[in-house]
Structure formats: structure tokens, C-alpha cells
Amino acid sequence: MSSPVLALSAGQIRRRPASFAGLGAALFLAMAAVTLFGSLVAAQVTAPAAVTRAAVSGPGLMPIAGGFGEIAVLVALFVVVNALGFTLRQQHRDLALLRTVAATPRQVRRVVRAQVAATTLLVAVPGGLTGHLAARAFLTALQRRGMAAPGLRIPGAPVPALVALAVALLVGLAATAVSVHRVTRPAPAVALTEGAGGPRRTGAPRLLAGVAVLAGGGVLLRLAASRPPGELDKAGQASLLGSLVLLVAVGLLGPAAARVLAPVLGAPARALAPRAGWLADANLRGYAARLASAVVPVALLVGLSGTMLVLTSTAEQVARATGATTSVTKESDIWLREMELGLLVCFAAVSTVNTLVALTADRRREFALLRLVGATRRQLLRMLSVEAALTTAIGVLLGTAVAAAASGAFSLAVTGSVVPVVPGAACAWVLLGAAVLTVPGIVGTGLWAVGGAAVESAGVERG
């Protein structure tokens, strides 16, 4: 790879540290997750036959690593794709400028690929080491509960970490090939115009992909709802996977959903806070892609957490009513789901904070221009507070819709009613957590972004 490509890639990373830090954190989590569950599989595969034949309670290490890791790894990779798409949107204008000075689409793609490869390699060692240590701790916890053979050991070979590195690179480069198409496909002048003002509408391929994924999620939920009452475990797995597929559809259809929901929720904001509410509503309406980037992580947090909490509560009530014990209601498996929920919440929380901090930091020039035309710092912070509240509300609505659809399908299968058992206190904590992550993240970064001399900040390029 030529040195100019490397220099351009390194320059973009230095100019946008917040965006690439978010991408790096997402890749770190993905590598740690793949290494964690890959190490568990390696422990089982490399163990002597006498060890693997030892009787254990629960499904065994391989089913745990497969079932537990399936959702966790998919969520981690979803977070990577979302973070990468956001990072590329942040530098859309710079990449379009390269096109105007005679850079070819191939050269632009090489610049972006170099950025992704460099970021992945930077987090490879800490991500692999963290996953290895987490695998050892998790295996010890399983052995303490009798869910894994005492003689199992996590191998010291770096094969799981190398597999995780390969997976992260493949996902990153594949997502890059799709995302960079918006810059390389149109003429340079058109790409530069879109970079300056943002895309005015969601492209047809993205809409079609979103609709197709949405339909796929609906099919999974229909399969979950059609399970007989005795197959409670399979209904739960299909519902949880269906919720993840629906959240992918939310990510694809996010800008379109934001354009619909922003005016609906913006009206009360304008009424309650006329000035700040008007500015916040105008910003959210005018930059649907930016709003979608902030909303999707919140929806991921609420959707996955809510689905798992409601599924567990519904299954426990069914078990109490029928006296049946399944893997959904066994104490050891409840502990497993709590661990899985904690891991998923960690992924979603990191994605939420990274995206919101980078998104708000990128608006420093915008805030400076508003100050030059008369807005005060206090007014801008009030505007950001309203934006944060609206962003949280839209993300919560989308996440709640996903959780309601998934848990409704599960409830229909096991109780005959689409109304599940909702643990009010636990769900309230999830909503509070979404607000705590979103509002301080936006307003706190805004305190920094609106600081400094307005004239100097207005002359500084975003990032």
C-alpha cells in the first residue's frame, strides 16, 4: 500500500480522534467477545476425552459457548458496523474532496480500508488479551457451579485471538465496501454537495434492504409464536434472535424512522420550550442521518434488554403455573442469561456513549456559527438538552417496539396471549439507564463543544 494512502489515513485518524476512538472501542469489544467464546470452544476441543466425558449440570460447555456466544457476537459485530458507518459519515466531505482533486474511487476505498485495518490492528492485542482473561474467569465461574468439567483449561495458544482478528477485519472491510459506495459512486461534485449538507433522503438500496430484514425478523417472530407450549426454550431463542434482526432493520431504516418520529415528538418540545425546542426540532428534522446514528444505539440497548427481561419474567410465570422446569427457569440458566444480559448491555452502552460523544463533538463549528449569529452558550446547552431528551425518546420508542413484538410472539406461544409479563421495576431501570447514558453524553460533550472563541471555532473544520 502506497505511502500517500497511509499518510491520508493517518491524517484522518488524527483529525477525528473521537470518531475513531468509538470505532476502536467497538472493534475491541467484538474481538474480546469472539476470543472469549472461541477460547471456550478451544478448551472443550483440546481437552482429553476423559475430561470431556465428565458429568456436568446444565447443557455443557459447547452448547453454552454456542448459544451464549451466538447472540453476543452478533450484537458485537452489529455495534462495529454501526460505529464504522458513523465514522465514514463523519469524513464524507473529506473523502469527497479527495475525489475533486483527481483521486479515483479505488484510491478512496484504499484510504478507508487502511483506516479500518489500522484501527483493528491497534486494538488486536488488548482485545485478544481481554477475551482470553474473560474466558478463564467465565470458565472458572462455570466450573464453580458444576456447569463445566473441572479438568477443562483455556489453552494458551493464540488461535482464538487470531480468529477474532480475522473476523473483525472481514466484517470491517465488508462494511467499508458498502458504506464507502456513497462517496465513490456519484460524481465528485455531487458527493461533495452531499458531504456538505448531508444526504437528503435514504437511498433505495438501503430502504429495500431494511424492508427485507424487517420481513425476516417478522418471519422469525412468527416461527416463535407458532411453537407449541412445550417448546418454551425454542420459542425464547427464536424471539431473541428475531429481536436482534428487527434491530438490524432499525439500523437500516433509522433515517426514515427519524424523519417520521422527529416531527411528532418535536411538537410538544416546541410548545414546552419555544426557543430551544424550535432549534432542537429543526436540527433533528434537518439531519435525519445524524439523528439515526444517535438513536440506533439507544434502541439496541432498550430493545435487547427489554426483550430478555420480559421473556424471562413470562417464562417464570408459566413455570410457576404449570410446575414445569425448563432451561429458561433453572437457576443456573438464569445466571447464564444474567451474564449474557450484562454483556449485551455493555456493548450497547459503549456504542451509545461513543456515538453520542463523537456526534456532539463533531458539531463544534456548527455551535460556533450559531454563537456568531447571536446564540448564547446557555441557549445552546438548552437546545442540546432538548435534543438529548428527544433522541432518548425516539430510541426508547423504537427499542420498546422491538421488545414488544419479540416478547409478544413468545407470550403467544407459551400462554396463548400476546400480552407478556412485564417486570415493571427492571424495565424502568433500563429506561433510566438509556436516559443516563444519552443526556449526560450529549450535554457533557456540548459543554466542551460550545467553549472557546466563536470566531476561532467557526474557522476550524469539524472533527
Side-chain angles (χ1 to χ4, degrees):
M1 189 173 293
S2 60
S3 56
V5 169
L6 294 176
L8 287 170
S9 302
Q12 285 294 316
I13 294 174
R14 286 194 300 268
R15 291 168 64 188
R16 287 180 167 79
S19 297
F20 283 95
L23 175 60
L27 287 166
F28 169 84
L29 288 174
M31 285 204 59
V34 176
T35 304
L36 165 60
F37 298 107
S39 297
L40 294 178
V41 172
Q44 181 74 19
V45 171
T46 58
V51 173
T52 58
R53 286 197 298 265
V56 297
S57 63
L61 186 60
M62 289 295 280
I64 289 174
F68 193 107
E70 177 185 4
I71 298 297
V73 171
L74 285 175
V75 170
L77 297 180
F78 173 73
V79 170
V80 168
V81 172
N82 187 62
L84 178 59
F86 171 73
T87 301
L88 292 180
R89 283 194 296 273
Q90 296 290 89
Q91 53 179 325
H92 184 111
R93 185 171 182 272
D94 290 346
L95 296 176
L97 279 172
L98 288 178
R99 297 280 315 281
T100 64
V101 294
T104 65
R106 182 182 179 183
Q107 290 171 325
V108 172
R109 287 192 292 269
R110 291 174 67 188
V111 168
V112 176
R113 285 198 295 265
Q115 294 172 2
V116 174
T119 307
T120 305
L121 292 175
L122 283 173
V123 302
V125 173
L129 181 60
T130 301
H132 178 79
L133 295 176
R136 293 176 61 180
F138 189 53
L139 179 59
T140 300
L142 291 173
Q143 290 170 333
R144 193 162 49 242
R145 290 167 173 79
M147 302 176 69
L152 288 175
R153 296 291 181 269
I154 299 296
V159 175
L162 293 176
V163 171
L165 175 60
V167 170
L169 281 173
L170 286 174
V171 171
L173 295 177
T176 297
V178 176
S179 301
V180 81
H181 191 57
R182 184 182 290 275
V183 182
T184 58
R185 182 188 59 181
V190 176
L192 184 60
T193 302
E194 290 185 351
R200 303 306 301 173
R201 58 183 180 178
T202 306
R206 179 169 178 167
L207 282 175
L208 291 174
V211 171
V213 174
L214 186 65
V219 170
L220 282 172
L221 294 186
R222 183 173 181 179
L223 289 174
S226 61
R227 290 286 183 182
E231 296 184 357
L232 187 145
D233 294 339
K234 293 182 179 179
Q237 293 170 0
S239 297
L240 188 58
L241 185 59
S243 69
L244 181 58
V245 174
L246 290 180
L247 287 168
V248 173
V250 169
L252 291 169
L253 300 174
R259 288 190 181 93
V260 174
L261 293 175
V264 175
L265 297 177
R270 292 195 305 271
L272 294 173
R275 295 180 181 178
W278 183 87
L279 279 173
D281 181 48
N283 272 324
L284 296 182
R285 289 193 193 198
Y287 295 92
R290 184 170 70 189
L291 175 60
S293 297
V295 161
V296 168
V298 180
L300 177 68
L301 173 65
V302 174
L304 283 177
S305 303
T307 298
M308 292 192 69
L309 289 171
V310 176
L311 291 189
T312 300
S313 295
T314 304
E316 288 175 346
Q317 186 185 67
V318 171
R320 285 193 298 267
T322 62
T325 301
T326 68
S327 68
V328 180
T329 57
K330 290 179 182 177
E331 182 178 350
S332 58
D333 290 281
I334 291 174
W335 174 81
L336 277 177
R337 281 198 307 281
E338 289 174 349
M339 295 298 101
E340 184 177 15
L341 178 60
L343 185 60
L344 297 180
V345 168
C346 178
F347 288 153
V350 169
S351 177
T352 301
V353 173
N354 284 339
T355 302
L356 294 177
V357 168
L359 193 65
T360 308
D362 193 59
R363 299 172 62 186
R364 191 175 184 186
R365 184 171 182 270
E366 172 191 330
F367 297 150
L369 290 173
L370 288 172
R371 287 172 58 199
L372 288 175
V373 296
T376 65
R377 288 188 178 93
R378 181 175 297 179
Q379 289 172 330
L380 291 178
L381 289 176
R382 283 202 296 264
M383 177 195 74
L384 282 172
S385 299
V386 176
E387 284 189 23
L390 291 176
T391 299
T392 304
I394 294 173
V396 166
L397 283 176
L398 292 174
T400 302
V402 169
S407 57
F410 176 76
S411 179
L412 183 61
V414 300
T415 69
S417 170
V418 295
V419 181
V421 179
V422 179
C427 290
W429 279 109
V430 170
L431 300 182
L432 179 62
V436 167
L437 289 173
T438 305
V439 177
I442 293 177
V443 178
T445 310
L447 284 171
W448 168 83
V450 301
V455 174
E456 294 180 1
S457 298
V460 176
E461 190 175 348
R462 295 178 298 171

